[in-house]
Amino acid sequence: MKVAHPPLILASSSRYRRELLERFRLSFLVISPEVDESPLAGETPRDLALRLALAKARAVFHQHPDSIIIGSDQAASLHHRPLGKPGNAQAARAQLRSLSGQTVVFHTALTVLSGDSAQTVEVPTTCVFRELSDAAIDRYVAIDNPLDTAGSAKAESLGIALMQSMRSDDPTAIIGLPLIALARLLAAVGLDPLNAARIPT
């Protein structure tokens, strides 16, 4: 069957982003981009997310210039200071203790590249953490193992229970891929999910 649109590629190694994109019922490939994610000196979390989303998309686009490429990245901030990935359980517990009762902004950036078109947007999610006891933190870290997650909270899993409230214009942004924004950007390059989604057989 003839493909009615250029190949769609998700430039990501995240299974959560892959699972979210599957909601659109579009055929797509997944390619992990080779990008240095180290922040630049003085770079804000928002600017870091925007830069890396574009860099990831470009890294794959260079090898697949006839495709539509999706890149995304997320960075978190507390009082405008960046929150990194903890890397180990001790650091995750310490990070969660510092976030207890605090407001954290998760900056999720999204890029869609297609031909000469480059669209990049940022979708923030503001999360207020519950007051967390040491016992609750220890149990959460043992269960969810959030070592590779900025803020040490996996909202796609048990980490949602750490939250007192969450505000965003795009409910999947917190998980790493804002689907409302993505549908709009894909439609702008001729791949509207409502028109291109596979019909179940």
Side-chain angles (χ1 to χ4, degrees):
M1 183 175 66
K2 185 178 179 180
V3 177
H5 58 80
L8 179 65
I9 300 176
L10 176 63
S12 178
S13 58
S14 166
R15 70 177 179 93
Y16 303 111
R17 291 192 176 105
R18 184 190 72 239
E19 290 168 358
L20 286 171
L21 184 55
E22 286 172 350
R23 295 189 191 183
F24 282 170
R25 297 181 176 272
L26 300 171
S27 297
F28 66 92
L29 300 174
V30 178
I31 297 177
S32 180
E34 297 297 326
V35 171
D36 182 357
E37 298 189 17
S38 303
L40 302 177
E43 190 172 39
T44 67
R46 178 181 184 274
D47 288 344
L48 171 64
L50 287 166
R51 178 175 63 82
L52 290 181
L54 180 58
K56 290 176 181 180
R58 282 178 171 166
V60 174
F61 187 74
H62 287 320
Q63 301 299 320
H64 302 271
D66 296 325
S67 299
I68 298 171
I69 313 296
I70 300 167
S72 188
D73 194 78
Q74 185 180 81
S77 62
L78 172 66
H79 306 314
H80 306 291
R81 297 192 307 272
L83 292 172
K85 300 176 181 179
N88 60 66
Q90 181 179 355
R93 290 191 291 268
Q95 190 171 66
L96 287 171
R97 283 194 293 273
S98 73
L99 299 183
S100 176
Q102 298 296 311
T103 298
V104 176
V105 179
F106 290 86
H107 305 273
T108 305
L110 174 68
T111 291
V112 171
L113 297 183
S114 177
D116 294 331
S117 171
Q119 306 173 85
T120 300
V121 299
E122 181 249 351
V123 181
T125 303
T126 301
C127 298
V128 180
F129 279 69
R130 295 168 53 186
E131 295 286 348
L132 303 170
S133 67
D134 287 347
I137 289 171
D138 290 347
R139 182 170 174 78
Y140 169 71
V141 171
I143 293 171
D144 243 5
N145 197 36
L147 310 187
D148 61 348
T149 303
S152 302
K154 290 188 175 184
E156 67 277 0
S157 187
L158 181 61
I160 197 71
L162 300 170
M163 307 300 174
Q164 180 69 36
S165 67
M166 187 180 293
R167 298 190 307 277
S168 179
D169 291 334
D170 206 324
T172 61
I174 187 64
I175 306 175
L177 192 66
L179 292 181
I180 293 175
L182 179 57
R184 183 176 70 251
L185 299 189
L186 289 176
V189 296
L191 184 56
D192 189 331
L194 290 178
N195 296 329
R198 298 186 305 274
I199 298 175
T201 56

